[in-house]
Amino acid sequence: AMGYAGYAPGNKVAESLSPLQRALQSLPLEKAQEILELLEKLTRNVVRNPGEDKFRRVKLSGAKMVAALAEAPTMMDVLQEMGWVAEEDCVVLPPSVRLAHEVHVVAIIDAKDYFKKEMENERRRQLRAGKTGDADKEQVLKQMELDRKEKDAEGPVTHGSVAQKLGDGPNIMRAGDVGIGKSSGG
């Protein structure tokens, strides 16, 4: 069975990315999910309330914005690509710019999926390279070596273990001891 335009199923033609998608994918891998969450919240607020001025002005001095911009300076490129304009201590979305759910929010959701796949690929690469778990493995091997040396220092075992009398043992009662299972002939 042939797919669309004669291409076999599974052979996708690489789509060119929009400038917004390129900007979103330029975020650092380690912090991408957190930054995309923040961007999505800002974007959804503007989409839901396009005339609300408080959602169209974001202070860059806020704790979350300071942290996000410090971790990913390319976040500013994403904001500018969406239409935000930098002013002295904030970014403002001009009234002429309309953010659309189908374009902007969907692009952010697609970027989240992209980074989720990239994180999984990175995890796989590290597993293949044997980098993850090395510290734990190294610690266990060191402890095993120390235990081995400690046992060697004690010398060889020259006598076998000897059973010790521990008392009368547990006080076990059987069903028959209390009359269960005994026929009283009635």
Side-chain angles (χ1 to χ4, degrees), residues 5-184:
Y7 294 110
N11 291 342
K12 293 182 180 178
V13 176
E15 300 172 17
S16 61
L17 297 175
S18 72
L20 176 59
Q21 289 169 321
R22 274 197 299 279
L24 286 166
Q25 290 183 8
S26 71
L27 294 170
L29 183 63
E30 312 80 45
K31 298 294 179 180
Q33 290 297 340
E34 298 165 29
I35 291 165
L36 288 170
E37 289 292 331
L38 179 61
L39 285 170
E40 184 177 5
K41 185 173 184 177
L42 294 173
T43 307
R44 283 184 185 272
N45 284 340
V46 173
V47 169
R48 285 188 192 121
N49 310 294
E52 194 81 32
D53 197 41
K54 70 176 182 181
F55 294 127
R56 298 179 79 85
R57 175 179 296 276
V58 178
K59 288 185 180 179
L60 295 177
S61 58
K64 286 185 180 180
M65 289 299 287
V66 167
L69 288 169
E71 293 167 349
T74 54
M75 179 182 166
M76 201 62 187
D77 299 337
V78 174
L79 289 170
Q80 288 172 344
E81 192 57 51
M82 293 172 83
W84 294 83
V85 177
E87 290 186 1
E88 56 261 359
D89 68 334
C90 60
V91 286
V92 177
L93 193 62
S96 61
V97 177
R98 294 273 178 236
L99 296 183
H101 180 86
E102 304 80 30
V103 177
H104 300 94
V105 177
V106 169
I108 292 170
I109 292 169
D110 288 346
K112 283 181 173 180
D113 292 341
Y114 167 80
F115 280 108
K116 211 176 283 181
K117 288 177 188 169
E118 286 300 307
M119 285 297 284
E120 185 62 28
N121 289 340
E122 181 62 27
R123 191 182 68 76
R124 283 192 195 116
R125 275 193 291 274
Q126 287 181 354
L127 282 175
R128 270 190 241 116
K131 292 180 183 173
T132 57
D134 275 352
D136 293 338
K137 183 178 178 182
E138 194 65 37
Q139 182 67 29
V140 169
L141 289 174
K142 283 181 183 176
Q143 188 61 45
M144 286 173 53
E145 186 60 33
L146 288 172
D147 291 347
R148 215 175 274 121
K149 287 180 181 176
E150 186 178 319
K151 278 293 180 192
D152 288 345
E154 290 175 4
V157 177
T158 56
H159 61 291
S161 60
V162 179
Q164 298 177 357
K165 180 90 171 131
L166 297 175
D168 294 336
N171 187 8
I172 298 175
M173 233 181 195
R174 293 187 180 83
D177 295 343
V178 291
I180 299 176
K182 301 217 175 194
S183 175
S184 58

